[in-house]
């Protein structure tokens, strides 16, 4: 069995998602749950159809409550340590779909405090500035104004701190160490931080004085935080948050783990111009093709390890087109260079639209942001 690591701060190695379900104690997304969701949404997002979202906690309870008329809200976030890359957008694209289909609120946390505490090279000014840069990417995805609340932990601290204290009081050092693997040389801010990430999982309930179910869409790396939240929130009078987990958009290099902002050539950023996207994909996207054209035509390529194909699973919405690409690649009819071209065009079309909307988002940023 291969070795891999998945924590909120480190994702490495060839990830076995089924093993994570067992180790973290989450549930796989069953056909039954998909049917329940489809009953309300009319269709299934391709992330659900393709099991890119593969695991959850308490989504059946969310559906029970919803069917009784008890509407949920959504909560997700970003740790602003640099520019947004297209991997970060995966949970947000899905969150946007949920907001649209269920017409619910989204609370979006920018953990500029976290990125200061956990990163030696970033100042509070840096992470706070990046929070608002990253917020443009969130707004550009088309979340509803008036139903979407984005906040920096630093600039909404008066509200957050009062609630974080309630969580912190119930969180022991030994739990924080056991869940996150902290040791005595880590700073005390790091131990406290998970209390802050728990707050939006009940904040609207605390503000409105009425408990509301909460769904947190995120990649599976963040699960440790919400294991803590689920343990503590009932002790302070709130529901456990539900969550729905996606797998990682892999790095271009195909070396396992997740696309990471700290390895520039492995990531594509939302602000990359088309020629940079093309260059990165041509140069770095790991290929599942054969060494020579003749051999590739004869034996075909392997889509399972080909990063361009793996990315198209995330970004090509049409099942029919995706299947054709897969079949042609496997048969050898489609060469690696041609497959890369398909991906380049797909990503550049997506980013062109995104970058236009990102520019426009600058004008409406204040309409989305909460401060106190
Ligand atoms: P951060 O900034 O590391 O990541 C933001 C979101 O993107 C997900 N993610 C990915 N998803 C798919 N493919 C990838 N390669 C990939 N890399 C990252 C993360 O799981 C996350 O959902 N502490 C958090 C910020 C946060 C948060 C939250 C996240 C605060 N509250 C609630 C999710 C839900 C962080 O640093 O995320």
């Amino acid at each position: 069995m291969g070795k891999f690591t998945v924590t909120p701060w480190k994702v490495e190695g060839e990830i076995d998602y089924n093993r994570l379900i067992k180790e973290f104690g989450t549930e796989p997304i069953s056909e039954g749950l998909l049917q329940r969701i489809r009953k309300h949404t009319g269709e299934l997002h391709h992330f659900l159809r393709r099991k890119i979202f593969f695991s959850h906690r308490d989504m059946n309870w969310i559906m029970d409550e919803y069917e009784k008329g008890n509407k949920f809200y959504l909560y997700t976030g970003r740790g602003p340590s640099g520019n947004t890359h297209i991997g970060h957008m995966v949970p947000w694209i899905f969150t946007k779909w949920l907001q649209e289909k269920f017409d619910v609120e989204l609370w979006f946390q920018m953990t500029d405090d976290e990125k200061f505490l956990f990163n030696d090279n970033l100042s509070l000014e840096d992470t706070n500035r990046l929070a608002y840069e990253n917020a443009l990417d969130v707004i550009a995805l088309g979340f509803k104004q008036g139903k979407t609340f984005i906040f920096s932990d630093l600039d909404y601290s008066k509200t957050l701190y009062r609630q974080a204290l309630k969580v912190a009081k119930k969180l022991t050092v030994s739990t924080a160490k056991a869940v996150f693997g902290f040791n005595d040389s880590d700073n005390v801010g790091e131990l406290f931080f998970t209390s802050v990430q728990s707050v939006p999982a009940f904040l609207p309930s605390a503000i409105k004085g009425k408990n509301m179910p909460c769904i947190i869409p995120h990649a599976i790396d963040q699960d440790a935080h919400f294991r803590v939240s689920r343990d503590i929130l009932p002790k302070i009078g709130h529901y456990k948050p539900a969550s729905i987990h996606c797998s990682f958009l892999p790095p271009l290099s195909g070396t396992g783990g997740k696309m990471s902002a700290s390895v520039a050539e492995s990531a594509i950023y939302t602000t990359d111009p088309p020629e940079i996207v093309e260059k990165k994909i041509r140069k770095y996207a790991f290929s599942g093709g054969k060494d020579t054209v003749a051999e590739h035509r004869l034996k075909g390529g392997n889509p399972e390890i080909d990063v361009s194909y793996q990315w198209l699973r995330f970004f090509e919405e049409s099942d029919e087109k995706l299947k054709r690409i897969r079949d042609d690649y496997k048969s050898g009819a489609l060469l690696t260079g041609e497959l890369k071209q398909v991906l380049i065009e797909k990503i550049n079309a997506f980013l062109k639209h995104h970058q236009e909307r990102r520019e426009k988002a600058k004008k409406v940023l204040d309409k989305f942001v909460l401060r106190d």
Side-chain angles (χ1 to χ4, degrees), residues 75-79 87-88 91 109 111 114-115 197 216 218-219 221-222 226 247-249 258-259:
Y75 159 39
T76 196
R78 159 81 177 132
H88 298 130
Q109 180 177 42
T111 54
E114 174 193 14
K115 292 297 150 179
Q197 188 154 327
I216 316 174
H218 59 89
D221 58 339
Q222 299 292 317
F226 304 119
S247 51
F248 300 104
L249 184 74
K258 64 169 181 178
M259 177 187 283

Side-chain angles (χ1 to χ4, degrees), residues 10-28:
K10 193 168 167 191
V11 177
E12 261 177 21
E14 215 44 66
I15 301 159
D16 179 340
Y17 288 102
N18 290 325
R19 216 167 98 194
L20 280 182
I21 289 178
K22 288 203 191 83
E23 282 176 13
F24 289 179
T26 67
E27 283 181 65

Side-chain angles (χ1 to χ4, degrees), residues 175-195:
T175 300
K177 279 183 169 176
V179 174
F180 298 102
F182 292 130
N183 60 52
D184 287 356
S185 59
D186 289 316
N187 72 58
V188 292
E190 290 176 322
L191 264 92
F192 176 78
F193 169 70
T194 193
S195 313

Side-chain angles (χ1 to χ4, degrees), residues 7 20 49 51 57 87 113 125 129 137 144 166 175 188 254-255 271 286 295 302 326-327 369:
T7 75
L20 280 182
R49 297 198 304 270
K51 300 260 176 324
R57 294 182 187 274
D113 53 346
E125 290 69 29
R129 179 183 53 78
D137 291 303
K144 287 185 185 160
K166 296 181 192 168
T175 300
V188 292
T255 47
T271 47
F286 185 81
E295 196 191 353
N302 180 358
R326 185 188 170 83
D327 290 348
V369 168

Side-chain angles (χ1 to χ4, degrees), residues 300-305 309-310 312-313 319-334 339:
N302 180 358
E304 302 316 322
I305 59 165
Y309 177 77
Q310 291 304 320
L312 285 168
R313 286 185 65 241
D319 290 345
E320 212 184 310
K321 275 194 196 157
L322 188 71
K323 183 174 181 312
R324 203 173 328 123
I325 292 166
R326 185 188 170 83
D327 290 348
D328 288 351
Y329 195 57
K330 275 182 90 162
S331 75
L334 190 69
L339 176 57

Side-chain angles (χ1 to χ4, degrees), residues 232-359:
I232 293 180
L233 267 47
K235 297 180 187 160
I236 59 172
H238 296 290
Y239 291 136
K240 287 182 182 190
S243 49
I244 185 156
H245 312 126
C246 64
S247 51
F248 300 104
L249 184 74
L252 270 178
S253 58
T255 47
K258 64 169 181 178
M259 177 187 283
S260 161
S262 54
V263 193
E265 62 273 15
S266 240
I268 284 179
Y269 298 93
T270 58
T271 47
D272 280 348
E275 55 290 357
I276 296 289
V277 171
E278 168 152 19
K279 199 170 137 203
K280 285 182 182 172
I281 293 176
R282 288 244 176 264
K283 192 158 172 198
Y284 300 114
F286 185 81
S287 161
K290 297 290 183 295
D291 289 344
T292 63
V293 171
E295 196 191 353
H296 188 90
R297 292 272 187 233
L298 195 68
K299 297 183 182 155
N302 180 358
E304 302 316 322
I305 59 165
D306 188 283
V307 169
S308 301
Y309 177 77
Q310 291 304 320
W311 279 27
L312 285 168
R313 286 185 65 241
F314 287 77
F315 290 99
E316 174 51 68
E317 293 174 24
S318 156
D319 290 345
E320 212 184 310
K321 275 194 196 157
L322 188 71
K323 183 174 181 312
R324 203 173 328 123
I325 292 166
R326 185 188 170 83
D327 290 348
D328 288 351
Y329 195 57
K330 275 182 90 162
S331 75
L334 190 69
L335 300 173
T336 293
E338 292 165 339
L339 176 57
K340 286 192 176 191
Q341 188 58 34
V342 174
L343 179 67
I344 290 164
E345 280 166 22
K346 194 81 215 171
I347 299 289
N348 276 339
F350 172 79
L351 287 183
K352 180 170 186 289
H353 179 70
H354 184 77
Q355 287 163 5
E356 284 163 10
R357 298 192 60 141
R358 196 177 185 280
E359 261 321 291

